[in-house]
Amino acid sequence: DAMVIQNPRYQVTQFGKPVTLSCSQTLNHNVMYWYQQKSSQAPKLLFHYYDKDFNNEADTPDNFQSRRPNTSFCFLDIRSPGLGDAAMYLCATSRGTSWDTQYFGPGTRLTVL
Amino acid sequence: QQPVQSPQAVILREGEDAVINCSSSKALYSVHWYRQKHGEAPVFLMILLKGGEQKGHDKISASFNEKKQQSSLYLTASQLSYSGTYFCGTQETSGSRLTFGEGTQLTVNP
């Protein structure tokens, strides 16, 4: 089945130790998004790619970076994770224009020790 | 501008109905509804575009009143599987970012 896949599902890292989360999609969608979701809160958009065009949200900390080497893959790099970065990270895709129906991956739960 | 959802939480018995509201202080182009079960990813339910449309999806339907800048999600004859957190996402113009509300936690008990 076509889908959005995130690896790993659970990630534990140490304070300040860089970590990379990955997302892949078999939907051949143009747009890929990264969201941060903390407990009992709404998903918060960090950034998105429309093809290779990167769009950063104004309030996304510099600590968060992203790479999209091809249509299928997108990575979230957290350069120096702090305790406040512990959250669920959701990857989503949409087909054409930005803000079409978004298809979410299962998420990666990040724990920072 | 983050939309406001109400109520924050609701508890139902199986078979009862519920309404979840989503309001914005700004004019809206579209409203998106998602359901998220605990520990899982949000799942798309439906999109409503301005024009005052109404959509249905089994026993879950929604309306969008652009004049009131408000959308309502109607859950009829609720089932246990309806439990989860319902998020509305709003879009102020075509092509603008989607902003999610804080969510409404729905619990359906036997």
Side-chain angles (χ1 to χ4, degrees):
Chain A
D1 286 346
M3 59 178 62
V4 182
I5 302 161
Q6 289 188 244
N7 285 305
R9 293 292 310 276
Y10 300 90
Q11 176 73 57
V12 180
T13 191
Q14 291 181 334
F15 183 94
K17 185 175 181 181
V19 66
T20 295
L21 310 182
S22 74
C23 176
S24 64
Q25 54 127 342
T26 60
L27 296 159
N28 203 31
H29 283 175
N30 290 326
V31 192
M32 295 186 78
Y33 312 82
W34 279 105
Y35 288 89
Q36 179 193 63
Q37 187 179 28
K38 296 189 176 180
S39 182
S40 302
Q41 295 184 20
K44 178 180 180 297
L45 182 65
L46 296 173
F47 21 62
H48 77 277
Y49 277 93
Y50 190 103
D51 288 333
K52 293 185 177 181
D53 292 334
F54 178 69
N55 298 271
N56 197 29
E57 293 300 306
D59 56 356
T60 298
D62 292 340
N63 197 25
F64 291 86
Q65 305 283 320
S66 185
R67 297 170 283 135
R68 189 179 184 186
N70 54 53
T71 301
S72 301
F73 285 88
C74 195
F75 299 97
L76 171 62
D77 300 309
I78 308 176
R79 292 191 297 188
S80 182
L83 298 179
D85 296 329
M88 175 74 86
Y89 288 87
L90 297 166
C91 172
T93 71
S94 64
R95 185 184 54 192
T97 56
S98 296
W99 320 120
D100 268 348
T101 303
Q102 295 188 24
Y103 296 85
F104 284 85
T108 295
R109 168 87 49 199
L110 179 69
T111 301
V112 182
L113 300 176
Chain B
Q1 186 88 26
Q2 185 175 33
V4 176
Q5 288 186 235
S6 62
Q8 288 186 319
V10 58
I11 299 174
L12 302 172
R13 288 202 178 276
E14 202 171 3
E16 292 181 339
D17 302 339
V19 180
I20 300 171
N21 297 305
C22 175
S23 299
S24 174
S25 59
K26 298 220 171 184
L28 297 176
Y29 171 75
S30 71
V31 179
H32 303 220
W33 285 99
Y34 287 80
R35 176 173 62 209
Q36 184 177 31
K37 293 184 181 284
H38 183 69
E40 299 180 13
V43 173
F44 170 76
L45 294 176
M46 62 191 82
I47 292 177
L48 300 105
L49 301 178
K50 71 174 184 178
E53 65 173 340
Q54 185 154 359
K55 279 193 175 180
H57 185 289
D58 194 9
K59 291 179 181 170
I60 300 175
S61 62
S63 63
F64 176 26
N65 186 325
E66 63 185 276
K67 289 183 181 177
K68 291 186 177 179
Q69 296 151 201
Q70 178 179 311
S71 176
S72 296
L73 185 72
Y74 307 94
L75 298 106
T76 306
S78 59
Q79 304 168 16
L80 297 177
S81 62
Y82 287 3
S83 292
T85 301
Y86 289 78
F87 291 99
C88 70
T90 56
Q91 198 181 359
E92 292 174 12
T93 60
S94 173
S96 66
R97 60 170 289 176
L98 195 65
T99 303
F100 287 98
E102 290 290 339
T104 295
Q105 188 171 348
L106 180 79
T107 304
V108 181
N109 292 321

